[in-house]
Amino acid sequence: MTTTTHERVGDQGIVHRRTFQASVEDVHRAHTTADLFVRWMGPRGSHVRLDHFDPTTGGAFDYTVEVGEGRYRFWGSYHEVLPTRIVHTWQFEGEHGVTLEMLDLVEVAPGLTDLVVTSTYSSKEACDQMVESGLDEGGMDSDFERLDELLAQLA
Amino acid sequence: MTTTTHERVGDQGIVHRRTFQASVEDVHRAHTTADLFVRWMGPRGSHVRLDHFDPTTGGAFDYTVEVGEGRYRFWGSYHEVLPTRIVHTWQFEGEHGVTLEMLDLVEVAPGLTDLVVTSTYSSKEACDQMVESGLDEGGMDSDFERLDELLAQLA
């Protein structure tokens, strides 16, 4: 079974890696197409409400994950969206800290893609906090399990 | 005379500080109004061509500083634009690295504003490189001298 690995790099960085049995193009599409994005983002049983979703260079996003009575808002701006690279900011409403996220999509073999997410925190303290809470930024592991399933359906 | 100070903070951060004899509102305006922005950004004698300038939460910018035959393109996205805080990404075309910039405007006294710019680099190496080249990110010192002069005219 595929797992996501998380590695602290320096004072302010965490690098997350996962291999997907899908093409670079499909992994990219799942991140940049609204009706695919909402099918894997957020915990199982949740609903993602996209208030704004413009995954292009200079665009932005603003979405709320609805779980029962809970509402969790995430927002940020897209610095760069290229075929094998997506760079955006990311913030969870109610927290002060903003994170810079760089997603690199690397073709390992045809139909096999490494996704490397480099999260840069705006302070060492913010990064420490994420490490202490278990490195699984925003429930990334379970999101990626859902993404795995979605990609299998697309193939 | 006012000067800009630069302080390395941790592996990936540089904090730049300068006090302006102007209100928080005017310092903010100079960063978010196109016809003011072009009057202080870039070295003396240069011309700034704004290809895109939308300094709002979720907006973006893309401008080129023209100096003689030289063309220097800078671009990024605005994560957040609030009355006392501006958070954006920043990249110089031709360089791989993206920087996260947080500007905090602090009223020290009426008509006196501290501008605190926290630059977070996406790697320790990129931050080391900036420190080695003299900490004056993108010619910030001379830009801020020009900003000083502009703010005196606005007052």
Side-chain angles (χ1 to χ4, degrees):
Chain A
M1 194 191 148
T2 310
T3 54
T4 308
T5 64
H6 312 275
E7 181 195 359
R8 182 154 189 177
V9 178
D11 272 359
Q12 287 172 245
I14 300 176
V15 177
H16 316 269
R17 289 171 203 270
R18 189 177 179 111
T19 306
F20 291 98
Q21 294 191 16
S23 66
V24 166
E25 198 184 17
D26 277 351
V27 177
H28 194 280
R29 272 209 301 150
H31 281 84
T32 55
T33 308
D35 55 358
L36 297 179
F37 185 79
V38 299
R39 285 169 65 186
W40 65 271
M41 184 53 71
R44 273 177 218 284
S46 69
H47 174 255
V48 176
R49 195 186 74 223
L50 292 184
D51 288 314
H52 185 68
F53 190 69
D54 178 19
T56 59
T57 297
F61 66 92
D62 186 342
Y63 64 84
T64 294
V65 179
E66 305 176 338
V67 194
E69 296 300 305
R71 298 286 177 273
Y72 308 93
R73 183 178 165 228
F74 301 89
W75 52 285
S77 58
Y78 289 99
H79 174 75
E80 189 171 48
V81 179
L82 301 174
T84 62
R85 189 173 170 85
I86 299 172
V87 182
H88 65 85
T89 63
W90 187 90
Q91 186 162 1
F92 175 46
E93 190 181 42
E95 288 188 358
H96 189 62
V98 50
T99 306
L100 184 66
E101 305 261 351
M102 294 185 291
L103 284 69
D104 286 296
L105 298 104
V106 184
E107 184 178 70
V108 184
L112 198 66
T113 300
D114 270 355
L115 175 63
V116 183
V117 182
T118 305
S119 303
T120 303
Y121 291 81
S122 55
S123 69
K124 180 177 182 300
E125 291 66 36
C127 191
D128 287 348
Q129 223 167 61
M130 181 54 70
V131 171
E132 279 157 26
S133 74
L135 283 167
D136 176 26
E137 183 178 281
M140 188 181 270
D141 289 11
S142 66
D143 291 348
F144 282 173
E145 275 174 32
R146 294 185 70 198
L147 177 53
D148 245 352
E149 295 165 16
L150 173 65
L151 291 167
Q153 289 169 34
L154 294 182
Chain B
M1 196 194 144
T2 309
T3 54
T4 308
T5 65
H6 312 275
E7 181 195 359
R8 180 152 190 179
V9 178
D11 271 0
Q12 287 171 246
I14 301 175
V15 177
H16 316 268
R17 290 170 202 271
R18 189 179 178 109
T19 306
F20 291 98
Q21 294 191 17
S23 66
V24 165
E25 200 185 12
D26 278 352
V27 177
H28 194 280
R29 271 208 302 149
H31 281 85
T32 55
T33 309
D35 55 357
L36 296 180
F37 185 79
V38 299
R39 285 169 65 186
W40 66 271
M41 185 54 70
R44 275 178 218 282
S46 69
H47 174 257
V48 176
R49 195 187 74 222
L50 292 183
D51 288 313
H52 185 67
F53 190 68
D54 178 19
T56 60
T57 297
F61 66 91
D62 186 341
Y63 63 85
T64 294
V65 179
E66 305 176 338
V67 194
E69 297 300 305
R71 298 288 178 272
Y72 308 93
R73 183 177 165 227
F74 302 89
W75 52 285
S77 59
Y78 288 99
H79 174 73
E80 189 171 49
V81 179
L82 301 174
T84 62
R85 189 173 171 85
I86 299 171
V87 182
H88 66 84
T89 62
W90 187 90
Q91 187 163 359
F92 175 46
E93 192 181 40
E95 288 189 357
H96 188 64
V98 49
T99 307
L100 184 67
E101 305 261 351
M102 295 186 290
L103 285 68
D104 286 295
L105 298 105
V106 184
E107 184 178 70
V108 183
L112 199 65
T113 299
D114 270 357
L115 175 63
V116 183
V117 182
T118 305
S119 303
T120 303
Y121 291 82
S122 55
S123 70
K124 180 176 181 299
E125 292 64 37
C127 192
D128 286 348
Q129 221 167 61
M130 181 54 69
V131 170
E132 278 157 28
S133 74
L135 282 167
D136 178 25
E137 182 179 284
M140 188 182 270
D141 289 12
S142 67
D143 291 347
F144 281 174
E145 275 175 32
R146 296 183 70 198
L147 176 53
D148 244 353
E149 294 166 16
L150 172 65
L151 290 168
Q153 290 169 32
L154 295 182

